């Protein structure tokens, strides 16, 4: 009883039927040539995962998909193809292509017999608690799961635990097939695998790239590609600044995210502002690795607040990376804009007489002038987009300028917190072919946008003074996202920062209140964040998290019975 | 057997428990005072509809919600309260408050007896086909449905037909309770109602505002508030330029959307660019009606391409509306930016030598300079946001500048097509207290952004020449959204435009191809559209429609068998 199975872990493009077909055809032909019994493709391999609402609006794509699928079916002879695909009703299902035809669509769970072997085939999510119920009372030899899942922190461990546990419970081998490639915000990590009835992996495809592997689920034959370092063991029960175990996965998730966004949008070039700060520096390195140095343009756009160190750090980084580089001051545009606006503000003030004594207008003019430069470069040169260098810590705090540093065609690090970015910068300096591309001074300096002067120090305002220590901020974010902690939990919690720095209870309360207050005003900014790559287990990326802009009045501190009683009597 | 029922059609704010509680308490007390048997509140009245993912992230809000709900329950004595609310597990349900306590939560459909009357209570959507199955084999006297639905074209007719049909089928009166108010993109139209077993409405609350009505479902007693003109009869089977029947609803949907976005975000003022064109003109009128003229600032920002007519139209509109107005040219900022960028472009060209011969850079600098002015005004004056004046036709075509006219804190008309805007402008001139606020010349002139010169005419480029006639474009949009038509359907269809203008087959094909080509490149812009109000039956608003940016390679023309065969052999 032979049972040679191929897994074709492909990277499809959402909606691009002809390109996806060519890819699938290539692997069907390969499987036929190798005489395999079976070749399995990921979820929505042909139509691309995921088109979201597109199919409801353009139902003719169902028919198109079927036409192409029929074409692919004609390629089958000895090898049977199992391919995650929508059926003619638009439902997620799995198509079986056999003997030159579409044999059937499997919509839920079903036993499919081939060469005397019973395959239990499922489109369901193995991470859902009741998955196992799908296989109760079914007699099968092998389970096949086509359910694509994107990379995020801790997913690998959860997924592998779930698959191993199912295998051991039902005492059957499992073949799990995932996609490679990215669709907008989702970066699929591949690593399709097969486990034996003992729950142990005996075959695994590469991570974050297309791969074709051959295995035998009845004899446990196969080869195991390694996972990105630490990705099988990254779930933590408490916050830690030791990100080491998650950095290779983070890097690969983002690199694939950038590569595929550009390729699938028909883009090739990125232009970004190089401030000499951590965010733009890390973005420049990632873009260089994803797109090639010739396709990256770093623009240093100093203002009078930009230190000479920032300027030289930007230049040094560009030299180290070998990317294109220009410096262009924003002084004249800044001054002209300010000169035009000041008299206007004075005239408006005659009608709206509560003008702010101290505004962020000059800070924002600088950020917006820079964004205008970058967008105009992208208007002037083909296949080029500007990059938003916003990071996750700042996105939570709304600490980025609309139409300024927030804006861009893509945001590579919008789901990476600041403390993790420091760790990623060090990791990049150690693990890239060209060592230490990032100047040490970039990693050592205190983050700050160099947009304003701090009246207390008369130096440029430091982001941590405006917000709070990033260590503290990032721990709040981690606790909220991973532990669902509320205001009172945070007040009670012992933060890592507190172990190393003596802070008063008042200081802690002030920071936590500042967090909720700033976050409550940041929802609008979240709603217009450019497409980015989801990296963490939870995120504010709109593909996975939505909160109304008008929900800014939530009382995160909770209410006492007395407050409630007062509110009820107040009426 | 008395059965006096109140409907408290309230406008809750998502997550604002104390404010929502005060509102609910007011109506419970009113119902008690009037000695009603029952008072019914809409779906998620206390927690606010809809918090989307907020509750998963902050589960303590479930407990908070219960605390406040317990407080409200204490207010009940003679009157029983039925209130759509999440229960302690986070599920949508309906709470019954009775005799000073929470009596129970109803999660699906359930019979609840009160004073000898059996109420069948449901949280399900009456618009879903299988809704009626919920009431099979149930003995009841009255059906109560708490399921909030937002306004959109044709909804009223569909909803009323569904409710009437259910009532007639099960031969029972129905009380349907909807919300008023808006949450971000969704504007709820109220019009809660009761129909008799004959399907006829005998009681209805006001549309688009809070209301409290009293009715008796056993005797069909109640009063009927009128609906916005035409909203009970707007579903059309074919495209029409006669929007008359939908304009009052459109107006009220948007006005409520603006009002609630501002109020719930703690904002009060809007600043917008007045170009003298249709989009900004209609936005100015809507903002004036929603926020009050003292809270609107119109800024005319002419460039050298701005005609004197555009300038005087902007001024005349502002005078007619009585809003604040300033004119400030963008000449110097435009020139300074251009002067700085040109040498930069030349230096970049030495590395990227495929610079566009003709770019949109100068056009976009103008739009971006204007947006910078508006955002800076909003930075300088409290509670103020700039307005994005993008309309739906242009959003489909990506015919708006990123960080330019696309950008803003809110986009009032992003779901209104251009031909409908013309109709709305005329409607506003007829139906507002101050007649003819919009200068006739604004309605008569051809739309165009005045950002570039048309080389063929040497006049400013007309939008219809750059795109296609708006009548034709808007019919494509209508057919795609409402009929799910594909490329070939559109080619076959007879457009209204064709009845009045002789166009060649080639011309028609060119426009339809341009539509799909431009739309395929506009998905990124859709993803960063500011919050706006959903108006049409279908929309590209991200609250209801998502399509990946990377799906730009969809072949909307479909493929022939030959193309498929070629693709398969090409491998």
């Amino acid at each position: 009883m032979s049972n040679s199975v191929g897994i074709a872990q492909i990277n499809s493009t959402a909606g691009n039927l002809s390109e996806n077909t060519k890819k699938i055809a290539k692997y069907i032909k390969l499987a036929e040539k190798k005489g395999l019994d079976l070749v399995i493709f990921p979820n929505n391999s042909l139509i691309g995962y995921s088109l979201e609402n597109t199919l409801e609006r353009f139902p003719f794509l169902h028919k198109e998909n079927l036409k192409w699928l029929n074409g692919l079916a004609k390629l089958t002879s000895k090898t049977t193809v199992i391919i995650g695909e929508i059926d003619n009703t638009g439902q997620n299902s799995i198509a079986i292509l056999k003997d030159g035809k579409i044999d059937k669509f499997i919509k839920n769970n079903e036993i499919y017999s081939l060469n005397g072997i019973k395959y239990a085939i499922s489109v369901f999510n193995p991470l859902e608690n009741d998955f196992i119920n799908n296989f109760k009372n079914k007699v099968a030899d092998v389970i096949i799961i086509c359910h694509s899942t994107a990379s995020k922190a801790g997913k690998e461990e959860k997924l592998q635990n779930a698959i191993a546990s199912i295998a051991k419970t039902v005492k059957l081998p499992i073949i799990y097939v995932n996609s490679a490639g990215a669709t907008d915000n989702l970066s699929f990590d591949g690593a399709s695998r097969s486990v034996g009835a003992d729950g142990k992996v005996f075959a695994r495809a590469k991570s974050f790239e297309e791969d074709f592997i051959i295995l035998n689920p009845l004899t446990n034959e196969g080869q195991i590609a390694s996972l990105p370092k630490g990705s099988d063991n990254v779930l933590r029960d408490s916050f830690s600044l030791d990100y080491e175990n998650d950095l290779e996965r983070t890097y690969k998730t983002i690199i694939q995210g950038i590569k595929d966004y550009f390729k699938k949008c028909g883009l090739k070039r990125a232009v970004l502002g190089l401030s000499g700060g951590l965010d733009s520096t890390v973005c420049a390195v990632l873009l260089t690795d994803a797109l090639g140095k010739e396709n990256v343009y770093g623009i240093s756009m100093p203002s009078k607040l930009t230190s000479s160190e920032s300027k030289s750090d930007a230049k040094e980084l560009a030299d180290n990376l070998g990317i294109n580089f220009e410096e262009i001051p924003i002084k004249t545009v800044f001054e002209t804009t300010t000169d035009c606006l000041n008299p206007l503000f004075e005239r408006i003030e005659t009608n709206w007489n509560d003008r702010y004594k101290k505004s962020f207008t000059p800070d924002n003019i600088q950020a917006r002038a820079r964004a205008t430069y970058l967008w105009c470069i992208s208007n002037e040169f083909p296949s080029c987009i500007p990059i938003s260098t916003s990071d996750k810590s700042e996105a939570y705090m709304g600490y980025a300028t609309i139409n300024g540093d927030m804006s861009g065609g893509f945001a590579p690090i919008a789901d990476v917190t600041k403390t993790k970015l420091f760790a990623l910068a060090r990791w990049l300096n150690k693990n890239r072919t060209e060592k230490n591309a990032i100047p040490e001074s970039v990693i050592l300096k205190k983050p700050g946008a160099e947009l304003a002067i701090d009246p207390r120090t008369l130096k440029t305002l430091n982001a941590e003074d405006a917000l709070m220590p990033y260590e503290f901020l990032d721990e709040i974010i981690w606790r909220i996202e991973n532990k669902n902690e509320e205001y009172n939990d945070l007040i009670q919690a012992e933060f890592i920062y507190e172990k190393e720095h003596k802070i008063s209870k008042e200081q802690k309360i002030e920071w936590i209140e500042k967090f909720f207050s700033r976050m409550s005003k940041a929802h609008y900014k979240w709603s217009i964040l450019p497409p980015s790559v989801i990296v963490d287990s939870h995120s504010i990326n709109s593909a996975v998290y939505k909160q109304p802009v008008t929900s800014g009045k939530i009382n995160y501190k909770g209410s006492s019975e007395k407050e409630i009683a007062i509110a009820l009597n107040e009426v």
Side-chain angles (χ1 to χ4, degrees), chain A residues 124-129 131 149 155 158-160 162 166:
Chain A
F124 293 132
N125 184 354
L127 288 173
E128 280 180 7
N129 287 334
F131 180 86
T149 56
K155 186 207 82 168
K158 259 195 217 159
L159 178 74
Q160 179 52 31
I166 298 164

Side-chain angles (χ1 to χ4, degrees), chain A residues 358 399 452-468 507 510-511 514:
Chain A
K358 162 89 190 82
Y399 196 65
I453 296 291
D454 186 337
R456 293 167 298 183
T457 63
L458 300 181
K459 292 185 184 158
T460 50
L461 183 67
N462 185 314
E464 293 190 303
D465 292 338
L467 304 171
M468 67 192 77
Q507 178 63 83
E510 188 199 312
W511 286 339
K514 184 186 271 182

Side-chain angles (χ1 to χ4, degrees), chain A residues 184-252:
Chain A
D184 290 19
N185 308 284
L186 302 175
S187 188
F188 295 92
D189 54 349
S192 301
R193 72 201 61 189
S194 194
V195 302
D198 57 359
K200 295 216 175 86
V201 175
F202 65 85
R204 188 167 54 214
K206 289 179 188 156
S207 296
F208 296 104
E209 56 185 292
E210 283 199 3
D211 199 6
F212 184 85
I213 61 169
I214 297 172
L215 56 96
N216 184 329
L218 301 183
T219 60
N220 287 14
E221 282 166 279
Q223 292 201 314
I224 303 179
S226 63
L227 292 168
K229 190 184 156 211
S231 52
D232 46 350
N233 184 29
V234 294
L235 269 189
R236 293 175 184 282
D237 196 45
S238 61
F239 179 70
S240 161
L241 291 166
D242 176 10
Y243 294 102
E244 189 61 25
N245 261 344
D246 197 32
L247 295 174
E248 189 181 348
R249 182 199 66 86
T250 297
Y251 174 78
K252 292 194 166 185

Side-chain angles (χ1 to χ4, degrees), chain A residues 115-329:
Chain A
N115 305 337
I117 299 165
K118 291 192 180 71
Y119 296 95
I121 299 177
S122 167
V123 292
F124 293 132
N125 184 354
L127 288 173
E128 280 180 7
N129 287 334
D130 59 349
F131 180 86
I132 202 135
N133 296 333
N134 299 314
F135 299 99
K136 287 215 171 122
N137 311 318
K138 290 216 168 121
V139 179
D141 301 304
V142 179
I143 294 176
I144 293 176
I145 304 170
C146 294
H147 182 90
S148 300
T149 56
S151 177
K152 55 183 186 174
K155 186 207 82 168
E156 170 57 31
E157 190 191 350
K158 259 195 217 159
L159 178 74
Q160 179 52 31
N161 285 348
I163 292 173
S165 150
I166 298 164
K168 285 188 277 186
T169 309
V170 298
K171 299 191 181 63
L172 289 178
I174 296 181
I175 301 173
Y176 167 82
V177 182
N178 194 17
S179 308
T183 300
D184 290 19
N185 308 284
L186 302 175
S187 188
F188 295 92
D189 54 349
S192 301
R193 72 201 61 189
S194 194
V195 302
D198 57 359
K200 295 216 175 86
V201 175
F202 65 85
R204 188 167 54 214
K206 289 179 188 156
S207 296
F208 296 104
E209 56 185 292
E210 283 199 3
D211 199 6
F212 184 85
I213 61 169
I214 297 172
L215 56 96
N216 184 329
L218 301 183
T219 60
N220 287 14
E221 282 166 279
Q223 292 201 314
I224 303 179
S226 63
L227 292 168
K229 190 184 156 211
S231 52
D232 46 350
N233 184 29
V234 294
L235 269 189
R236 293 175 184 282
D237 196 45
S238 61
F239 179 70
S240 161
L241 291 166
D242 176 10
Y243 294 102
E244 189 61 25
N245 261 344
D246 197 32
L247 295 174
E248 189 181 348
R249 182 199 66 86
T250 297
Y251 174 78
K252 292 194 166 185
T253 303
I254 298 175
I255 293 293
Q256 178 177 263
I258 300 171
K259 266 189 184 163
D260 271 2
Y261 187 78
F262 274 71
K263 186 166 165 255
K264 293 175 180 180
C265 288
L267 300 165
K268 64 175 184 183
R269 290 166 174 162
V271 58
L272 83 166
L274 287 188
S275 69
L278 185 71
D279 291 354
S280 61
T281 296
V282 172
C283 283
V285 180
L286 296 169
L287 291 163
T288 304
D289 291 356
L291 306 175
K293 60 189 179 183
E294 68 283 7
N295 290 317
V296 182
Y297 231 113
I299 314 284
S300 166
M301 294 173 283
S303 76
K304 64 177 181 187
L305 299 178
T306 308
S307 67
S308 59
E309 199 199 23
S310 293
K311 281 191 267 188
S312 62
D313 284 344
K315 177 78 175 79
E316 191 184 331
L317 171 76
D319 287 346
N320 292 348
L321 294 173
I323 59 173
N324 304 296
F325 179 79
E326 282 296 339
E327 183 179 308
I328 177 168

Side-chain angles (χ1 to χ4, degrees), chain A residues 387-408:
Chain A
I387 295 302
S388 160
T389 57
S390 278
D391 69 51
K392 181 172 183 165
S393 308
E394 293 175 350
Y396 256 98
M397 294 293 86
Y399 196 65
T401 302
I402 298 162
N403 288 12
D405 51 323
M406 251 198 71
S407 117

